[in-house]
């Protein structure tokens, strides 16, 4: 299923800046950055639970926030993109 992960981490303190880097690093392990604090992740149920748990452990819920949007398997018709940075095929070939 396609999951959109968004986050807002308070970076006023050095600890907050560290949390921001840690959250971004975890998200990169699971998906593609599409905007500064937004990742598109193609996950199965177990991966979804794992990434959600890892990210919850990293943030400070008093100052930071996480949002998970589960778009499901038929997500192609649910995304409209306008502007630069064209989308990518989450199920297609990824060359590094």
């Amino acid at each position: 299923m396609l999951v959109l992960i968004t986050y807002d981490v308070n970076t006023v303190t050095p600890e907050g800046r560290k949390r921001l880097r840690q959250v971004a690093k975890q998200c990169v392990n699971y998906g593609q950055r599409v905007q500064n604090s937004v990742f598109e992740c193609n996950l199965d149920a177990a991966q979804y639970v794992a990434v959600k748990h890892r990210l919850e452990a990293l943030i400070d819920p008093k100052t930071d926030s996480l949002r998970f949007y589960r778009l499901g398997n038929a997500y192609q018709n649910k995304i409209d993109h306008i502007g630069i940075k064209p989308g990518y095929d989450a199920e297609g070939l990824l060359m590094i």
Side-chain angles (χ1 to χ4, degrees), residues 26-84:
Q26 280 301 312
C27 288
V28 166
N29 290 333
Y30 289 92
Q32 174 74 31
R33 183 188 300 263
V34 293
Q35 291 188 0
N36 287 337
S37 297
V38 181
F39 282 79
E40 289 179 355
C41 305
N42 197 3
L43 308 172
D44 61 31
Q47 290 171 320
Y48 174 71
V49 170
V51 70
K52 188 174 176 187
H53 179 72
R54 286 187 176 128
L55 294 176
E56 283 181 88
L58 291 175
I59 69 159
D60 178 354
K62 294 179 182 132
T63 61
D64 308 333
S65 68
L66 284 170
R67 285 182 177 252
F68 298 86
Y69 298 90
R70 292 171 288 179
L71 299 177
N73 293 322
Y75 60 88
Q76 290 86 354
N77 296 329
K78 297 178 183 176
I79 301 172
D80 293 325
H81 175 83
I82 300 169
I84 63 171

